[in-house]
Amino acid sequence: RTYGYQRAEVLAALANALILIVISVVIFTEAIRRIGSAPEVHTDIMLFAAILGAVANLVSLLILRGAHQDSLNVRGAYLEVLGDLLGSVAVIVAALVIMFTGYQAADTIASVLIALMILPRAWSLLRDVVDVLLEATPKGVEVQMIREHILSVDGVVDVHDIHIWTITSGVPVFSAHVVVEDGVLNARGADQLLDKLTTCLGSHFDTEHCTFQLEPASHSEPESRTHA
């Protein structure tokens, strides 16, 4: 495990997303099953529990709000709490409707709404997790733009086999084969070029973990298969 256990966060987020999807499906299925045969609801207990849950979820949401963009795990927790908060609000509304109108089906409608609120958020989290596990290019990163930045460095002739992926939240990784002028590949020139390339990736694309394979332009046996 040369990257340690950094991917553990991604696996936890995967489990979180799958659990949220299962929960939303179960809630939706149970709500549909109750259509036409909604049981009697004790609105006083329902309202008290929903208000208590809403307050607790609101506090949790405020705590998680600042960090949910930086971590898939925190985002999963944030989405779960957000879904619970919206669910609590739906339950409060349903309890009030039943209390004042006697319309028991409001409980079923609230359940359907809760499921529909949770599912798209869980699906969005699952999609982001799968992107990381499949080592997709991170969101907001344009391969062509990175290529242009590398080609603008003095001494660089071409660049190929560009790969950009994410180990875990906030840890992008980059590798590429860089074709350079033969004269650059002396000890001092190679060091300076690597410094320039690393600085370029770090300053423009917030990528500190970079691997460059330098190849002389006169290389007579180019690789038979290249990427990007």
Side-chain angles (χ1 to χ4, degrees), residues 20-226:
L20 285 172
I21 290 174
V22 170
I23 289 173
S24 63
V25 171
V26 170
I27 293 174
F28 185 81
T29 302
E30 183 65 16
I32 296 301
R33 191 180 67 81
R34 288 188 175 191
I35 293 178
S37 60
E40 183 179 352
V41 177
H42 299 286
T43 53
D44 51 349
I45 299 176
M46 178 180 179
L47 185 59
F48 175 76
I51 292 174
L52 192 64
V55 172
N57 286 316
L58 181 59
V59 172
S60 299
L61 198 69
L62 292 175
I63 294 173
L64 295 170
R65 183 180 59 181
H68 79 282
Q69 297 289 352
D70 302 324
S71 166
L72 282 174
N73 246 352
V74 176
R75 184 184 169 196
Y78 179 86
L79 292 177
E80 194 165 342
V81 172
L82 177 61
D84 287 345
L85 176 60
L86 294 175
S88 295
V89 172
V91 172
I92 290 172
V93 173
L96 293 174
V97 169
I98 296 172
M99 185 180 296
F100 290 106
T101 69
Y103 185 62
Q104 298 288 328
D107 179 53
T108 300
I109 294 173
S111 298
V112 172
L113 290 175
I114 290 170
L116 294 178
M117 286 186 290
I118 295 174
L119 188 58
R121 291 171 176 81
W123 182 257
S124 174
L125 175 62
L126 179 62
R127 188 175 59 231
D128 289 345
V129 169
V130 170
D131 279 347
V132 173
L133 294 177
L134 293 180
E135 300 187 343
T137 302
K139 287 184 177 180
V141 175
E142 294 291 338
V143 175
Q144 184 57 35
M145 188 177 296
I146 293 180
R147 183 196 302 275
E148 292 172 0
H149 272 267
I150 293 176
L151 289 174
S152 69
V153 175
D154 292 340
V156 174
V157 176
D158 192 17
V159 57
H160 60 91
D161 283 272
I162 295 176
H163 297 285
I164 314 167
W165 67 102
T166 304
I167 299 301
T168 188
S169 302
V171 186
V173 181
F174 176 89
S175 70
H177 293 203
V178 182
V179 181
V180 300
E181 297 172 358
D182 289 21
V184 173
L185 289 180
N186 55 58
R188 185 177 179 183
D191 288 346
Q192 292 177 346
L193 180 61
L194 286 174
D195 288 343
K196 290 179 181 179
L197 292 173
T198 302
T199 301
C200 175
L201 267 294
S203 60
H204 292 101
F205 303 101
D206 195 27
T207 303
E208 296 182 359
H209 193 112
C210 307
T211 302
F212 298 100
Q213 176 172 312
L214 302 182
E215 302 174 350
S218 60
H219 190 235
S220 59
E221 296 180 1
E223 296 182 43
S224 59
R225 184 179 180 184
T226 59

